[in-house]
Amino acid sequence: MTSAKDAPTVFIVEDEDAFIEALDIGLQREGFRVEVARDGAEALLNFETVKPDIILLDVMLPKVSGTDVCREIRKKSQVPIIMVSAKGSEIDTVVGLEVGADDYIVKPYRLRELVARIRAALRRSSLTQSEIDEVGIGTVRVGDVQIDPEQHMVTVRGTVTKLPLKEFELLYVLMANAGRVMTRENLIDRVWGSDYYGDTKTLDVHIKRLRSKIEVDPANPVNVVTIRGLGYKYEKLTS
Ligand code: CA
């Protein structure tokens, strides 16, 4: 099957032949170009040549692990990365998200689910320019919320909203990473510091307060969403 020149390229980094074969056929049928690397070293070696639009990165790989590949690629590129983990290796998934992966999927998964995740990740990355506008130094705008760290000012649907320091910092970290799952550990590290040993409920309480100030309906949040078992994500909203 021939695919159009502008078809998005999915870089599959995977060592199991059965998976590679199924993905190659399935993803081409869905209109993607497919490139394959069979271990972590090959992935890093060929990354620049392949110029992928998205990477599907297995966690358990020969030579260089998926999380190390992710860490290396993040030093030079913001290309969307979906980590693929086997059932029971959720720890690796968390590490993957902490080193910059955008999303994860657990084997075995359905092709339909994978394609939906790929399309969502591509949509988010293509929205980066228009949806997250850098308005002045450090200011981030996502959808109807804008945060300016220099003026310590948050504007929600046109109205200036006052936030206490930790809520402000939490919102800034979430918005600057919009579209990406932030683990609870990562958020606590970045807002309260890595030497923080307090109750992790603190984070949930702050999230709740934040929602009451920025969400249209705090009981059904659409800006700051909960990712069960992992953490939170600031959604890049599209209307
Ligand atoms: Ca593997």
Side-chain angles (χ1 to χ4, degrees):
M1 181 173 288
T2 54
S3 37
K5 272 204 196 88
D6 57 353
T9 300
V10 182
F11 194 16
I12 298 172
V13 186
E14 169 67 68
D15 58 320
E16 285 168 70
D17 285 333
F19 270 101
I20 295 171
E21 210 167 300
L23 286 172
D24 190 20
I25 295 167
L27 291 177
Q28 285 199 57
R29 194 178 291 147
E30 293 290 331
F32 297 102
R33 281 188 59 228
V34 173
E35 297 280 348
V36 178
R38 286 169 190 272
D39 63 59
E42 193 185 330
L44 290 174
L45 188 69
N46 294 344
F47 172 70
E48 313 267 357
T49 331
V50 170
K51 292 191 184 68
D53 293 289
I54 186 162
I55 302 177
L56 193 60
L57 183 58
D58 191 29
V59 170
M60 304 290 275
L61 287 171
K63 294 182 185 170
V64 181
S65 77
T67 46
D68 285 341
V69 170
C70 183
R71 194 179 283 121
E72 283 306 309
I73 286 175
R74 272 293 169 264
K75 287 179 186 168
K76 51 191 169 189
S77 167
Q78 286 305 310
V79 62
I81 297 176
I82 299 179
M83 303 289 296
V84 182
S85 61
K87 221 181 175 110
S89 61
E90 283 84 0
I91 290 288
D92 300 311
T93 309
V94 172
V95 175
L97 291 169
E98 283 182 344
V99 297
D102 297 86
D103 198 0
Y104 69 98
I105 192 164
V106 179
K107 283 177 181 171
Y109 51 80
R110 289 176 176 279
L111 182 70
R112 190 190 301 170
E113 190 194 347
L114 175 67
V115 169
R117 300 287 191 93
I118 289 176
R119 296 223 161 100
L122 287 172
R123 210 155 44 231
R124 284 198 299 270
S125 73
S126 71
L127 283 174
T128 304
Q129 299 307 317
S130 55
E131 284 288 309
I132 301 187
D133 286 338
E134 293 273 337
V135 192
I137 300 165
T139 298
V140 177
R141 179 168 66 211
V142 185
D144 51 12
V145 180
Q146 180 171 314
I147 185 164
D148 176 351
E150 284 196 341
Q151 307 285 329
H152 191 85
M153 199 164 87
V154 178
T155 313
V156 182
R157 289 173 287 283
T159 307
V160 174
T161 306
K162 284 198 161 44
L163 293 183
L165 184 62
K166 290 298 171 195
E167 282 172 49
F168 185 90
E169 289 177 358
L170 181 61
L171 180 63
Y172 188 75
V173 171
L174 286 164
M175 286 182 70
N177 291 280
R180 173 171 292 169
V181 179
M182 302 297 285
T183 64
R184 305 171 55 82
E185 293 76 10
N186 195 348
L187 287 170
I188 290 169
D189 270 13
R190 291 170 74 164
V191 177
W192 285 272
S194 54
D195 54 353
Y196 178 79
Y197 289 111
D199 196 334
T200 60
K201 285 258 185 312
T202 303
L203 174 62
D204 303 314
V205 169
H206 278 77
I207 291 280
K208 197 175 172 187
R209 287 190 200 139
L210 206 49
R211 282 171 172 159
S212 74
K213 288 162 191 165
I214 65 165
E215 299 280 352
V216 173
D217 177 7
N220 298 289
V222 294
N223 296 67
V224 180
V225 297
T226 303
I227 308 298
R228 265 185 89 104
L230 282 170
Y232 297 97
K233 178 170 76 170
Y234 199 98
E235 287 283 11
K236 285 185 192 176
L237 300 169
T238 49
S239 46

